[in-house]
Amino acid sequence: MRKILIVGGGYAGFYTAKKLQKHLRRGEAEVTVVDPLPYMTYQPFLPEVAAGSIEPRHAVVAHRRHLNKTKVITAKVTKIDHANKTAELTPAVGEPWTVDYDTIVVTAGAVSRTFPIPGVADQAIGLKTIEEAASIRDRITDNFAKAANLPAGPERDRLLTVVVVGGGFAGIEVFGELRSFASSLVAAYDTISFDDTRFHLIEAMGRIMPEVSLPTSQWVLRELDSRGAQVHLDTQLVSAVDGKVELSTGETFESDLIIWTAGVMANPVVRNTDLPIEERGRIRARADLRVVDENGEVVPDAWTAGDVAAVPDLSGGGVGGFCVPNAQHAVRQGKRLAKNLVADIRGDAPIEYFHKNLGAVAGIGLYRGVYQYKKLAIKGFIAWFMHRGYHGFAMPMWERKARVFGNWIINFLFRRDLVGIPARDVPREAFETFASRPKA
Ligand SMILES: Cc1cc2nc3c(=O)[nH]c(=O)nc-3n(C[C@H](O)[C@H](O)[C@H](O)COP(=O)(O)OP(=O)(O)OC[C@H]3O[C@@H](n4cnc5c(N)ncnc54)[C@H](O)[C@@H]3O)c2cc1C
């Protein structure tokens, strides 16, 4: 049986495996997914997870439950030697080992891209994982609880100041959602007022959300401004050492929550492979999702999709001729890849990936959203409703959709859950405090 190894069970990898389960005949191939995480993460929900509108576990999909005809290995792929068709797997505990394969599918996604700004690596938090989103939710609720007991002063201000770096889609969504979350929290405290909270978004360019038109992005700016949030355009973060934020404009303030959303880059793990990589660190691909070398020659038995891949955008809508890194592409590429791989196994020709952009939809806080498709822009409540509808149904698996929609309905009826569990980071503390120890 042909052995297919899928590196990464995120959007693209999960859908590749799911569709291979469906299309492969019994005995045709054995499919293995390797991922250090036991679930795929629905990343568009991360801003709503951070803002308490979606429970963290509802925004992920367990590999072992939904890829039941696929072999799942929870480990990192640390090396690929495609010339010899072997991959090194490194588990969280234990020694690395090597597996062999016949066909490899690399869908290892992207990671947060940072710049060497003092303090960022130590102080900031990204927004690419469910752990980060859940931790942001706990941090903000914990900071409100702490600030409520403090008199006016710098420490109180620091706890009630939220900074988001990066005015792309993810940055604006989490900024808007957290502003909305903070307003719900303010209502629960009689010692914290709306004016005590400060929200700063730092964007190096002269505008936000390049995916929407300039007038739409300006509407979003006005919307955020009306909610007391401050957007610093044409501004760079210069330092974040110990939470002291310094901007290129000379402005400084302190913050206990600095969220970095200023870009992503292809997963650097691909540098530990002998697969062809282009200038931006992505695996070179043809439109049919087969890996190609610098001369455009197909590398046999190697496929790729999603954020880690430089896939030509045949619709003409991409950046530099390539598909932009988003879920719209990752899902569809995963499905196409599975069909192409099955066709290849059966001696048929693969079909080129083609997808026309469906537009962009974002939630920027409870009951507020924005949608843009070409010149059509919808703003406010309807766009927010579209955002929830689209993503609720795009969430893989009915079981997961039901949890998300169910949670939204419960929140609508009883308001969103303001509970944080900050002690989750130190779960043994309560036990340890009172535990008897042997006498010295
Ligand atoms: C906050 C946020 C909001 C977003 N909103 C939208 C949106 O509204 N619309 C949209 O279209 N897109 C959105 N995106 C982008 C979208 O989520 C990504 O483009 C999509 O997840 C890419 O899919 P992927 O499969 O390439 O990578 P991922 O989904 O990131 O999956 C990569 C997988 O590889 C695994 N992996 C990493 N290293 C290794 C290794 N060494 N070995 C094995 N496995 C490994 C990871 O654990 C992960 O499971 C958003 C992203 C973020 C962060």
Side-chain angles (χ1 to χ4, degrees):
M1 252 211 294
R2 182 193 284 240
K3 291 187 211 160
I4 300 172
L5 183 69
I6 302 177
V7 181
Y11 255 108
F14 180 85
Y15 274 97
T16 303
K18 196 161 159 293
K19 292 298 167 188
L20 282 174
Q21 286 188 166
K22 184 175 166 196
H23 298 305
L24 281 171
R25 293 187 199 117
R26 189 183 285 266
E28 214 167 10
E30 178 196 77
V31 183
T32 303
V33 168
V34 186
D35 195 307
L37 300 172
Y39 45 74
M40 79 80 87
T41 306
Y42 193 85
Q43 292 174 26
F45 279 156
L46 295 181
E48 286 200 61
V49 170
S53 291
I54 297 177
E55 283 306 312
R57 280 178 176 78
H58 297 174
V60 300
V61 185
H63 289 147
R64 283 171 207 276
R65 177 161 181 180
H66 292 292
L67 298 179
N68 48 3
K69 289 193 212 148
T70 301
K71 189 173 167 193
V72 175
I73 300 178
T74 305
K76 259 185 197 166
V77 172
T78 34
K79 207 169 170 184
I80 298 168
D81 177 0
H82 190 62
N84 291 304
K85 295 204 173 165
T86 60
E88 179 190 73
L89 312 195
T90 304
V93 177
E95 293 299 313
W97 78 97
T98 301
V99 293
D100 55 5
Y101 60 81
D102 299 302
T103 301
I104 196 148
V105 176
V106 185
T107 47
V111 298
S112 295
R113 179 179 56 120
T114 53
F115 309 106
I117 300 169
V120 165
D122 304 314
Q123 212 64 38
I125 184 165
L127 189 66
K128 280 291 285 173
T129 67
I130 199 71
E131 293 78 7
E132 289 168 329
S135 164
I136 290 170
R137 173 180 174 176
D138 287 343
R139 176 69 71 96
I140 200 162
T141 49
D142 191 35
N143 283 356
F144 266 69
K146 286 175 179 160
N149 299 327
L150 292 175
E155 179 57 11
R156 194 173 194 270
D157 289 347
R158 191 178 74 88
L159 290 168
L160 295 176
T161 300
V162 174
V163 177
V164 174
V165 188
F169 239 69
I172 293 295
E173 281 194 295
V174 73
F175 190 62
E177 290 290 347
L178 291 182
R179 176 62 271 183
S180 162
F181 187 35
S183 299
S184 302
L185 283 166
V186 163
Y189 286 91
D190 53 7
T191 50
I192 301 177
S193 73
F194 181 85
D195 292 338
D196 293 340
T197 59
R198 288 179 182 86
F199 277 77
H200 295 275
L201 184 123
I202 303 160
E203 169 53 52
M205 314 274 282
R207 61 163 294 180
I208 56 164
M209 300 175 105
E211 299 85 349
V212 302
S213 70
L214 189 59
T216 307
S217 76
Q218 286 164 341
W219 178 85
V220 175
L221 286 176
R222 286 195 297 278
E223 229 284 325
L224 291 170
D225 185 52
S226 72
R227 289 156 63 192
Q230 209 178 330
V231 177
H232 306 258
L233 295 179
D234 290 316
T235 305
Q236 279 145 22
L237 178 68
V238 174
S239 174
V241 174
D242 296 331
K244 290 192 186 82
V245 175
E246 282 177 43
L247 304 184
S248 53
T249 52
E251 198 175 338
T252 62
F253 44 84
E254 291 196 34
S255 171
D256 192 55
L257 181 54
I258 302 169
I259 304 166
W260 181 274
T261 61
V264 293
M265 62 181 185
N267 192 326
V269 72
V270 296
R271 297 189 195 132
N272 282 351
T273 73
D274 52 359
L275 295 169
I277 310 291
E278 45 89 87
E279 328 50 76
R280 294 180 60 189
R282 297 172 297 184
I283 298 181
R284 284 178 197 277
R286 262 167 56 143
D288 60 15
L289 305 168
R290 285 185 289 181
V291 175
V292 285
D293 66 17
E294 300 69 35
N295 306 318
E297 294 296 322
V298 169
V299 175
D301 303 319
W303 302 74
T304 187
D307 289 2
V308 79
V311 178
D313 188 340
L314 300 184
S315 78
V319 173
F322 295 100
C323 296
V324 293
N326 68 23
Q328 263 188 57
H329 285 304
V331 172
R332 289 168 179 81
Q333 287 174 1
K335 292 179 183 175
R336 169 53 43 215
L337 198 162
K339 284 187 187 157
N340 281 355
L341 190 40
V342 172
D344 189 54
I345 291 172
R346 294 176 189 162
D348 297 331
I351 293 172
E352 292 184 328
Y353 170 76
F354 179 91
H355 170 64
K356 263 194 176 165
N357 188 1
L358 298 174
V361 66
I364 50 172
L366 220 44
Y367 311 127
R368 298 168 174 98
V370 60
Y371 169 77
Q372 177 99 40
Y373 178 68
K374 296 187 179 163
K375 285 188 177 161
L376 171 71
I378 300 175
K379 303 155 199 156
F381 179 77
I382 295 175
W384 173 82
F385 199 73
M386 289 166 71
H387 162 77
R388 282 217 164 164
Y390 173 80
H391 283 296
F393 284 110
M395 177 78 195
M397 318 313 301
W398 283 103
E399 169 257 328
R400 264 15 229 177
K401 292 185 213 306
R403 287 177 205 267
V404 170
F405 277 114
N407 202 179
W408 282 334
I409 292 167
I410 289 168
N411 285 355
F412 179 71
L413 296 175
F414 300 107
R415 288 187 286 146
R416 81 172 106 196
D417 198 344
L418 301 181
V419 174
I421 312 180
R424 191 158 37 181
D425 289 343
V426 280
R428 292 190 60 261
E429 197 177 72
F431 178 77
E432 221 179 341
T433 308
F434 302 106
S436 301
R437 295 182 184 276
K439 290 207 165 63

